[in-house]
Amino acid sequence: MKNYKKLYINLILGAALVLSTSCNQDFLDEELTTAYSSEYYKTEEGIQALAVGTYYQVFALEMDSEVPLASTESGTDEFHAGGDPSNWIWNSYSTGFKAFVTVSNANTVAANTNWDNLYIGIGNANQLIESATAIVSTNDAIKKTALGEGYFLRAFNYLKLVSQYGGVPLKLKTSSTVELEFTKATPQQVLDQVIADFTQAYTLLSNAGAPAKITKDAAAHYLAKAYLTRASEINDGWNSATKSTDLQQVVTLSDQVIANHPLASNYVDLWNYTVTDGANEKLPELILSAQFNANQLTSGGNRQHLYFLSTYDQLAQMKRNLAGGRPFSRLAPTYFTYDVFDKVKDSRFWKSFQTKSIVNNKSGSYYVNGDLGIMYIVNTAADTRFAKTKNTDAIVYSKTGKTIPSVYVAYAADNVGLMADVRFPSLSKYMDGNRLDLSSIKGSRDVILARSAETYLMAAEAKVRLAKIGGASFSDALSYINTVRTRANYKAGEDRAAYTDGSAAYTTTGQAGIPISFIKENSYYESNNIAVSTAATNLTISSISSLPAEDEAVISKLGYGSDYDRMLCLILNERTRELCGEFHRWDDLSRTKTLVARAKAYNIEAAANIQDYHTLRPIPQTFLDAVYSNGKPLTPAEKQAMQNPGY
């Protein structure tokens, strides 16, 4: 599916709920041929072309925008507002966050963008299902694969919709004319449909082609996620009859997926991107990815490399360069994200965040390009070594004996902290040094949608939930959690200061004559202040009554006491350690009804504004204004009745 940026079909926009002039049409400018009639979708060629286009619409299109970070990472405990205000409103839940989102600038994500795109994808999936069902063919690629893909793609988008908005209209057939009358299905009805569709996909699909193709294992992973969602707290008002069976299904399906998708041996392997279609994009751990290519003749691409970066290029001795990235700086880590890791034993923090950069724009005679230019010391609150958070005096780089131009300390005596500045360790999971040039926003690396480390944690969560209702013991979850944690250990002989990320894809010479800022080194030892060691570490949790200190701190801050609350907290913490920034967080906190408490505790901009009703998003006003009832536009009262509470 690497070629699905080349759309050979005319995507079926008429199948969206309401034709909206605000829908972004840019993705249609991709080698479009003359529009096809409905007869084309009665051919095998037409059905397969429709599948290609729907893959792109559902998986890849949103990665060419700020929708993923606005809808799934902003306003959580993991990230808060970065240095650019374009989408701060999605993080702060301030008064402009309503059915119309107050616009800061042209980059602000509108309230209806995600909604519109999801329903467009559903419209195409409906067409794919109908066409693959109707065609007279004995070709399994049509009758089974394309049909299974259609069911999966529809369920995938409806799972996103119900997770963000709760009850939404169910549209399961294509339309030849514009429809204007819709009613909201209940969350139960939507999830029932999601589960039925994923089940159909699971039955029809094979296991060939992962992670580029939708497989049986992909269907199993997302079917397990749908069951887990139905069994979660946000649905406790109606899910008691299905909860036990759903949770057992989560475990059964997860075990099947885990058996076929072994974890990568080293966490860094997931992010060690060097070239399109390289080894890290084909790891067995990967279940499903949004696919991108390096063809510079196509527009769009993966833009997620832009948004999690600090503005390093504004600091002394530094200049923007291809390896350093183009920093749009939308989101910065919170203290929860810094502190939830055991930063001595757990390699994942140091393999997920860039904490050092070298001088690449020397000025004066003291520094030369290649000296250490930026360092983030990510220490603990108990560390008393530092007087100041920012540009701490006399911090000397041991390898050159020179002071470092820009140093930022997480905890220092001045108690200012990293969140008082727009400088922060950059999440490096999307960094892409394989771009055309230093100003390019088009990225070519794939985005992981599902991998088996998450499947392990879904099974662990199901075990915790089963224990609450008497169907398991809480300790049953530990084997799944410990498998993920074991991979995060430092191995014997491993250099704990070694570092790499996707920006290393371009490190040999400076693009356009500009030297690179990437360094194969992190601030592990400066942050932890420990002697150099190459001994293996051990993150195994042996008892539910004695959880890691990092987890006990969160449990204490949030006031949890029961075994269930403690273990669910552990699961959510472990999901951050393993999956930070991978576009799951808002949905996880919403469905577990922990969003408000965690945002208040850890997100400095959201804390003052977030309320219980923010566990669902507002239904977009553009939709409400376009819907009719009994041949007439909705009245204000009818619109309010369809809107989610609080908006």
Side-chain angles (χ1 to χ4, degrees), residues 84 94 158 175 199 262 275 303 317 339 376 382 544 570 577 629:
D84 185 283
S94 59
Y158 268 122
S175 303
T199 300
V275 65
R303 296 193 186 189
Q317 313 289 335
D339 294 343
Y376 294 96
I544 68 166
L570 169 66
R577 290 184 282 255
S629 177

Side-chain angles (χ1 to χ4, degrees), residues 212-251:
K213 292 281 287 181
I214 302 167
T215 62
K216 181 180 289 290
D217 282 343
H221 175 91
Y222 281 98
L223 180 56
K225 180 172 282 196
Y227 280 127
L228 188 61
T229 299
R230 191 163 70 175
S232 293
E233 280 82 351
I234 198 168
N235 298 316
D236 274 353
W238 54 265
N239 65 12
S240 59
T242 55
K243 181 173 288 190
S244 178
T245 302
D246 283 355
L247 295 171
Q248 293 288 356
Q249 287 276 39
V250 175
V251 175

Side-chain angles (χ1 to χ4, degrees), residues 306-373:
L306 300 166
Y307 302 127
F308 297 92
L309 306 185
S310 181
T311 50
Y312 70 96
D313 52 350
Q314 298 175 5
L315 297 175
Q317 313 289 335
M318 304 302 299
K319 187 174 185 179
R320 183 185 298 175
N321 63 99
L322 184 57
R326 184 176 178 181
F328 279 24
S329 196
R330 302 295 198 251
L331 293 178
T334 64
Y335 270 100
F336 165 76
T337 297
Y338 296 135
D339 294 343
V340 78
F341 292 86
D342 181 332
K343 288 187 287 292
V344 173
K345 297 178 182 179
D346 194 332
S347 71
R348 288 173 294 188
F349 179 84
W350 304 105
K351 294 170 181 176
S352 299
F353 289 89
Q354 188 180 85
T355 55
K356 284 184 177 179
S357 298
I358 56 174
V359 169
N360 77 325
N361 188 35
K362 66 174 183 175
S363 61
S365 59
Y366 183 67
Y367 295 107
V368 298
N369 290 339
D371 288 342
L372 190 59

Side-chain angles (χ1 to χ4, degrees), residues 419-490:
M419 286 195 286
D421 200 285
V422 296
R423 321 297 173 191
F424 49 84
S426 297
L427 181 76
S428 58
K429 290 181 176 181
Y430 305 106
M431 294 185 80
D432 185 352
N434 200 38
R435 293 173 294 119
L436 181 64
D437 58 51
L438 58 88
S439 296
S440 176
I441 62 175
K442 175 184 169 63
S444 59
R445 69 181 296 176
D446 297 343
V447 175
I448 299 170
L449 301 175
R451 56 187 179 91
S452 58
E454 186 194 8
T455 320
Y456 275 99
L457 297 178
M458 291 196 302
E461 185 177 337
K463 288 290 189 181
V464 168
R465 294 183 179 282
L466 283 167
K468 184 180 183 181
I469 59 177
S473 67
F474 289 110
S475 60
D476 289 343
L478 291 181
S479 63
Y480 293 99
I481 297 169
N482 283 331
T483 300
V484 175
R485 289 174 66 84
T486 295
R487 195 262 298 274
N489 287 327
Y490 284 107

